[in-house]
Amino acid sequence: MKRKTKILVIALLAVIALGAGVACWILAGPFGVPTLVTVNGEGIPVSRFHDELAKIEPAYRDLLKEEPGQLLDGMVNQVLLLQQAKKEGVSAAKGEDSTTPVKVDKDQATIRAFLEKRMAALPAITPQEVESIYETYKSQFAGQAKEAVAPLIRETLERQRQMEAIQKLIADLRQSAVIELNQKEYAKLSAPAPGSETQSEADFGRALTGGKPLVVDFGSNTCIPCRQLRPVLQTIRQSYAGKLEVLVIDIQKNEKLAREYQIQVIPTVIFFDRSGKEVFRHQGFMSEDRIKEQIAKMGVG
């Protein structure tokens, strides 16, 4: 029972904290200034969003300041789960989490109890399912017998089944919910931070045919290494002003370009010569010295 609870915790954190990638269904409507979003008539104030944001480690906190929808999705999911738990008469007293010494509030405990009840109703993993996974990935188990890896396979399948069940539950709840976003307050949250600006496909086209060498970072505002690369590129842009162009392309906003240049890893930094021909590319973070070294090879001093 303890192991199943641990699996549930992993699934719950992944779905609630990040919103499980479920698209937010939002409708505009009248709101008071302190309310950020209402979920079936229940308001989430702006102050609560900031409280939740403060609990997140700094690197991801900065990311969520620019992409607040991810955190807001998770908060909406929590409200929906709590509402459904109460509707079904599920409750839990405030106390210790069963798997960690960390205190959890009553709402979180209620959501946990609700999901545990739902997960308990899922069908058990069968020996045939374990056998199928073992045979499919046998070469990756380094010669270990099925009996030795069966517990790991079963736990992985249980986690996957629970994740899928929770995602479907949340998707169903969102589909029938009335979720109304305060567009004005949300716009204040999602204002881009200095240095996070990206360029468009049109900007790329003009730079590629502009007659100057070009350095392009294909990345995303939601990618930590990409964000770490931004100040480096800003320094390069300033150091080589008038000699070459430096662009930052967000692949989530420019999917066509990402496909055209076969971007598989972000960040990917591509160097183009004066004629617009690609001469070099680097996958992953690239230091200022490495970038300058490549620029020198292009004949730019």
Side-chain angles (χ1 to χ4, degrees):
M1 181 64 184
K2 185 175 181 180
R3 181 169 62 85
K4 289 186 177 180
T5 302
K6 181 179 180 181
I7 295 173
L8 176 61
V9 171
I10 296 172
L12 175 61
L13 290 177
V15 174
I16 291 182
L18 297 179
V22 181
C24 184
W25 174 27
I26 52 178
L27 301 172
F31 291 87
V33 173
T35 302
L36 179 58
V37 63
T38 60
V39 184
N40 295 325
E42 180 178 342
I44 297 178
V46 174
S47 59
R48 181 176 164 190
F49 176 88
H50 289 299
D51 289 343
E52 292 298 319
L53 188 63
K55 299 175 184 177
I56 298 171
E57 63 179 277
Y60 293 97
R61 189 185 309 151
D62 290 342
L63 184 156
L64 290 170
K65 285 180 181 178
E66 295 179 30
E67 304 287 343
Q70 296 184 55
L71 177 58
L72 188 57
D73 263 359
M75 295 174 68
V76 168
N77 290 346
Q78 290 188 62
V79 172
L80 287 169
L81 289 170
L82 185 60
Q83 289 175 345
Q84 187 63 27
K86 291 178 178 178
K87 186 181 296 184
E88 296 184 15
V90 178
S91 63
K94 183 176 181 180
E96 295 281 338
D97 185 343
S98 59
T99 59
T100 73
V102 179
K103 288 280 187 180
V104 292
D105 64 27
K106 187 174 181 180
D107 287 349
Q108 290 293 332
T110 298
I111 293 173
R112 179 69 50 76
F114 169 62
L115 290 177
E116 285 178 346
K117 180 180 178 182
R118 287 294 185 107
M119 297 306 102
L122 294 176
I125 302 299
T126 66
Q128 291 77 14
E129 289 175 294
V130 173
E131 174 75 23
S132 176
I133 292 296
Y134 179 75
E135 291 299 327
T136 301
Y137 300 99
K138 192 173 184 178
S139 62
Q140 299 182 27
F141 291 121
Q144 297 183 77
K146 182 183 70 176
E147 291 72 18
V149 297
L152 174 62
I153 294 175
R154 184 173 290 105
E155 181 174 332
T156 301
L157 290 175
E158 286 177 349
R159 184 184 302 124
Q160 179 181 348
R161 182 164 293 176
Q162 290 184 347
M163 281 291 296
E164 290 172 350
I166 293 173
Q167 289 177 1
K168 184 179 185 305
L169 170 62
I170 290 176
D172 290 344
L173 291 175
R174 295 186 80 109
Q175 187 173 11
S176 60
V178 177
I179 302 173
E180 298 178 299
L181 182 70
N182 184 335
Q183 299 283 358
K184 182 179 179 180
E185 291 299 325
Y186 184 78
K188 295 178 183 178
L189 295 178
S190 57
S196 66
E197 296 82 5
T198 59
Q199 284 73 54
S200 66
E201 182 176 351
D203 295 326
F204 174 78
R206 284 191 292 269
L208 196 64
T209 58
K212 293 180 182 178
L214 174 64
V215 178
V216 183
D217 164 37
F218 287 88
S220 169
N221 277 342
T222 60
C223 158
I224 298 299
C226 300
R227 294 169 62 85
Q228 294 171 335
L229 184 58
R230 298 290 172 81
V232 175
L233 293 173
Q234 182 62 21
T235 299
I236 295 295
R237 182 181 287 116
Q238 294 171 350
S239 299
Y240 294 89
K243 299 179 180 180
L244 61 75
E245 297 288 340
V246 178
L247 300 184
V248 176
I249 300 295
D250 189 328
I251 64 170
Q252 294 180 339
K253 299 176 182 177
N254 298 276
E255 295 181 359
K256 181 181 176 182
L257 273 181
R259 289 193 299 270
E260 181 179 346
Y261 285 91
Q262 300 180 338
I263 305 301
Q264 303 295 327
V265 175
I266 57 174
T268 291
V269 183
I270 302 182
F271 296 76
F272 298 88
D273 64 16
R274 299 176 190 277
S275 67
K277 177 184 177 182
E278 178 180 337
V279 294
F280 182 77
R281 72 167 56 195
H282 175 87
Q283 294 181 331
F285 178 82
M286 195 173 188
S287 69
E288 182 179 341
D289 288 342
R290 287 288 309 281
I291 294 175
K292 287 182 175 179
E293 179 182 329
Q294 186 58 41
I295 290 174
K297 291 180 180 179
M298 296 166 63
V300 180

